[in-house]
Structures are given as structure tokens and as C-alpha cells.
Amino acid sequence: SLPEDVQYKALKEIPGFENVKMFRPGYAIEYDYFPPVQLKNTLETKLIPGLFFAGQINGTTGYEEAACQGLIAGINACHNLRGREPFTLKRSDAYIGVLIDDLINKGTEEPYRMFTSRAEYRILLRQDNADLRLTEKGYRIGLASEERYRKMMNKKERIDKLVQELSKIKIDPSEVSLVSEDAPGPVRLKEKIPLLKLIKRPRLNISKISSMHDGLKNLISGFENDVIEQADIQIKYETYIEKERNLVSKLESLENFNIPDNFDYNRVKALSAEGREKLKRIKPGTLGQASRISGVSASDISLLMIYLRR
């Protein structure tokens, strides 16, 4: 971050480097940013309608972070011009949703990077199901082709069909005599067991069990590898996936409580001082957004909910 001439003089001060030649100076980038709490979740600025910010101007660093903001800002700038509904992604939809939600609700004191640890719904936000999560959303706004959308829908239907077929199968102990060798510990079947339960065991999956079961081998031979892999994941982690989906459903009820842009928080007398200050500064669009602001307590949210229901 030092000027080139200063760097050259500094190098010459090092003993033995008196006659040094510098072919390229070292560099560092410094940049200013606008606090991202001034943005809506579409990345439109609250102060100037129609002005969208994306990238380092919002306090982020990294190519992926800039790219995803550019995508969302670009979509919404286009929708704004054409009078369409805003396009947003929730925290349970994509890491893009997590990044933008963090920026507009919490702000940032240092260059922001998107780490997986920032997301509370990591079981839902997997790389293997990105097409299932986002293709339909892309198709609806014209960013995914008809062919791509149909291909994803076909894959989804085939996954459901495979899981349904697998749920009908029960495994006889005599059909899988090798299970005890593949599973940790002495696991020998004593009676018929649903195949789905067997798939959930450690170190077992559809392909491994099919190698010892002709009926299963014949069944999965009619399905593509990515369909089999997705069915495997959905069966094995079903309990955890369902638990996370239920949590999302509970929290999404708060997202349905919209807060007017011009809402006067001073009217809600019982709000905590810190909560009122943060809410007035950030101006969240929904109760769900307000609940994720640092310093806004659960009791503050309850008070707002009661007030907004009137």
C-alpha cells in the first residue's frame, strides 16, 4: 500500500540490496464502502429509489460475493424498470440469501466473506441439490431455459419415484449376508427390515446394498447415477432435513409480517432503547428481518407483532 518510489527507497536501505532493481511493486487495495444496512434485500438503496449497490461498495470481499450481489442487483434493477415484483432469496434458499441478509441486517466492520458457518440451514443448502432449489426460481424470471427447467423437473420426479419404490422393499436376512462386514460392529439382521432403515445405517448406501440384492440391483439399473445419489442423501438424512424444514416453516411466519417503510417505532413505547435505535436505523422490511438484527430482543419482536396485528 506504499507508493512505488517509497517501496524502492525502502528496498535499497536493506544491506546487500543497495543496487537492487524492482521490476514490479507490491500492492494492496484499500477501498471505501457504504454501510450495507442502508440497503433493501433487493440491494436497492433506501435513500435513492432505483439505485442498486453490489460488491465491494457493500463492504464485501471476494469474487463470488461480488458476483452473487451483481446477479441479484441486476435482476432487481431490471424488474424495477419493468414494473415487476422484486426478486429475493431467503436464508433457507441459498447462500446468496444468507450473505445479503447478513449485510442488510448486521452490517459489517471488516470485509465480509461468505463462510458456510454463517448459514444456519446448512443441511438444506447443499451443493448436490442446488439445481432442485434454484432452477425453478431462475426459470420464472427468465434466467433458466425451458429445456433446463424440464430436465430438473424430470430429475425431481424420478427421485420421488425411486424413493417411493425403495420404500416398498423389505430385506430378508438371507439376502444380505455381507451387511455385517460392511457395517461397523456386529450388525447381523435377525428379521426382515425395511430397505429405507438399512440405507440409513453408517457406511451403507443404495449401491452397496444392491451389490448383495438382485432385486434392488435390477430396480436401480433403470435410474441415472445423480438420481440414485440424491435419493440416497434424502433417505439417509431424512430426519435432519425434516427438522430443518420445520424450523424454517416456524421462522417464516415472521416474514409474513411486513413493516411499513414509514413505521414510527417511537409509537411502540415498551421497546427497549437499543432495539428502537437499531430498528430506526436499519428499517427492516419484515418482522423476520427485524428478529435477526443484533440488539433487537425477542420481547421487542413480540411487541412489534402485537402492534402490527392491530
Side-chain angles (χ1 to χ4, degrees), residues 94 107 130 158 165 190 198 262 270:
R158 288 181 64 74
E165 291 296 323
K190 296 179 180 178
L198 202 57
N262 58 351

Side-chain angles (χ1 to χ4, degrees), residues 39 63 72 76 93 96-97 127 133 161 165 184 191 218 232 260 289:
L39 301 171
Y63 299 116
I72 298 300
N76 282 300
D93 287 333
I96 294 175
Q127 73 271 24
R133 281 187 284 116
K161 182 181 177 182
E165 291 296 323
E191 57 186 6
N218 293 333
D232 230 337
Q289 190 181 333

Side-chain angles (χ1 to χ4, degrees), residues 10 13 45 66 70 96 110 116 118 120 167 193 213 260 273 287 299:
E13 292 295 318
T45 61
I96 294 175
E110 57 186 42
T116 53
R118 296 186 190 272
E120 61 271 49
S167 68
I193 183 173
H213 191 279
L287 267 186
S299 59

